[in-house]
Amino acid sequence: MNYDHILIRYGEMSLKGKNLKHFVARLYENVKMKLANFSNIQIKRNRSRMYILLNGEDPEPIMEQLKDVFGIQSFSLAIKSESEEEQIKEAVMFALTEPEDVKTFKVSVRRVDKDFPIGSQDMNRVLGGHLLSNTEGYSVDVHNPDIELQVEIRKDGTYITSKKIPGAGGLPVGTSGKSLLLLSGGIDSPVAGFLSMKRGVEMEAIHFHSPPYTSERSKQKVMDLAKQLTRFGHKLRVHVVPFTKLQQTIYREIPEGYGMTVMRRLMMKISERVAEKEGILSFTTGESLGQVASQTMESMNTINEVTNYPIIRPLVSMDKLEIIDISKRIDTYDISIRPYEDCCTVFVPSQPKTRPTREKINELEAKVDFSEELEETLESIEVIEFTEEAEQEDEFSDLL
Amino acid sequence: MIYFDNSATTKPFPEALKSFQQVSERYYANPSSIHSFGSETEKLLLQSKKQAAQLLNVNQEEIIFTSGGTEGNNLAIKGIALQHQNRGKHIITTTIEHPSVLEACRSLESLGFEVTYLPVDEEGRLRVEEVKNAIRNDTILLSVMHVNNELGTVQPIEEIGRIASHYPKMFFHVDHVQGLGKLPLDFHSSHIDLCTMSSHKIHGLKGAGMLFVKRNTSLFPLLHGGSQEASYRAGTENLAGIVAMVKALRMILDKQQSQYRHLENLNKQLRDCLKDLPQVMINSPEDSAPHILNFSVPGYKPEVVIHALGEKGIYISTKSACSSKNADESAVLSACGHQFKRSSSALRVSLSYDSTKEEAKTFCEAFKDVMNQLSEVMG
């Protein structure tokens, strides 16, 4: 006997009514894509659970992958047995005695299939009694057991699990529409992207690149971040916007101090045009209130004037340290701290206005005609698509 | 020529050598330079690290590139000791470690650290109980080698690691220099915090190595300077050496998968031949790593045997090359409790995946000849 299944429990999507089917179907697709490399497994689903039949595959690497799939509340290794008393007893015995260092246990039966002749409470006692009288050295502890043996009795069989591994939570990516992530090379924006994806958002990204003021490496850094985010959403397209000309114009025409605000507004305008074209309905940014000059309430108000698209700001109330914690957890931190200039740092005046007003900025912008350069910029956007499995860097493969 | 001294160093794989040369020719820019040429070499460096991490089943940021085994062991031991001395100043290791571990520990003793050197049994094996009993409240580091370089004895690393995992204040370091590419070692299930590896023992080139440092483990650097290797190891990276090492790592792990049995067969062939000689006492335990076979010829001076075989173009060694020039006696064999006569007459044959049955046969015959020839004088 051995653990031959992984049982997946749904997150809050299980509260959905008629739409549940749609959520489950999406999660199924996402799990399937995530586990595409494990050729022997089979995945089954119903309204409340998903099951992975291992068919001999090593469960460890599979469970490692599942931790990155949004929509999963928790998962467990499971033994499947017939819904028949003796077989369940045998499986429970295995689950109890297999691990080392277990002294106390608890049995929790859930009888989903009401045709099964023994009720949940009675079955608890039956199984507990069976374990106690056929083993030595174990005792029951209902409050702090070393191991909790969960038994789900269903029509198609009974699943016995012992250890719950927390999943990523959230909603399956692809169930909440698309958003355009303003991706810089910093710590915040990838975390914002991650958190939006957690709520089921399918992400595209836009990056503003200003060669030669920013280097090829800073672009590479953004590409590496994008690639990293595919862990959670399988696919990410990055719209790389050549921003040098517009930045130079701003630098020349707009008084120092206001340049940053105007630049942000232009970024928003470009983003909106990209979103329109791609059928994207919102933006996601890494803004955190008060963190830097462009993220004061006044700046947000002034910058936001140019678009009426919703802007998702998952980090708006987070402290820098909380953001850093998440970035380390999702392995974007080490990429983000690579020390290259990004598009925002080169042109930023030493003392940007922290309290711009809409009136002042509109007045300054009215004196400059950005439209031609804006259209030109939109024409030359480069789109790069990343998928989780594709390996971008095979140029060195002969050396390594 | 028959080269049976692969535990001292190995012949570079032609592929690794080719990578070394190509990288030296094409990617010589400093990865820290900000121009695009530097960016290219930095990418190659990152890619090498990524591949090494994948091959070892660890995270990229858990690999520090070093100059080799000696540096790796020193960085692990001194780095942990100096960084965490406020937690305690007690270190545990064994009496049969490589000199780069033992001497690093002795140097720390002179700085006020206390070191327990655990004894081993006759086969050179550490008893897990001994480890348990030696751990104290102020123990900050346990350092145990995986495969012994003289005997080939394999330590029960996974079991030791399980014990170590109960002591969160204590770091567990494994010297994996002789084991890499020969025996599997799962860093995670063995609860290893630091693990030393070397390039030239796996058919890479001299001057490169790796230290695995588990996430959230901090070290005091040996070399201060630039911010290479997350500031744990300053100095311009030996990119050509690193790339060649990663190439060699990939190749040796393939060979470990497909040719392990071949090594076992060679080992058995040599054992069978040596067992029949009355002058020979085999020191390596039956279940030692298959690439190392250590035996003694009491009464014979090992150097004379080495030279006599050398005249026939056969190269083996006495004890580990790193300590061969000290006194006659093998410290490892003496730690196993062997008499002076045995521990001062040890010879080591060490094989590679490219060693052949014919070579083993030729060696056996040559060795018998040498024994006959010498017995007239020494026997």
Side-chain angles (χ1 to χ4, degrees), chain A residues 217 331 340 395 398-400, chain B residues 19 33 38-39 42 51 215:
Chain A
R217 269 186 212 197
D331 295 324
Y340 318 122
E395 56 181 302
D398 57 325
L399 294 170
L400 290 163
Chain B
S19 288
S33 293
S39 152
E42 187 195 37
Q51 184 163 321
R215 245 185 208 187

Side-chain angles (χ1 to χ4, degrees), chain B residues 61 182 209 356 369:
Chain B
E61 68 273 17
K182 302 298 185 329
T356 63
D369 284 352

Side-chain angles (χ1 to χ4, degrees), chain A residues 334, chain B residues 49 53 56-65 187-188 192-195 197 210-217 229:
Chain A
D334 286 327
Chain B
K49 191 164 276 196
L56 298 169
N57 194 20
V58 301
N59 289 309
Q60 239 167 291
E61 68 273 17
E62 293 177 319
I63 299 282
I64 298 177
F65 289 133
F187 299 176
H188 298 295
I192 295 170
D193 298 303
L194 305 115
C195 186
M197 291 158 277
M210 287 178 281
L211 180 67
F212 161 78
V213 182
K214 195 175 168 180
R215 245 185 208 187
N216 299 325
T217 305
E229 299 302 297

Side-chain angles (χ1 to χ4, degrees), chain A residues 80-95:
Chain A
K80 187 179 183 186
S81 89
E82 301 283 317
S83 288
E84 187 271 320
E85 190 180 331
E86 286 311 311
Q87 291 197 32
I88 296 174
K89 277 180 179 168
E90 198 184 319
V92 173
M93 178 66 78
F94 173 80

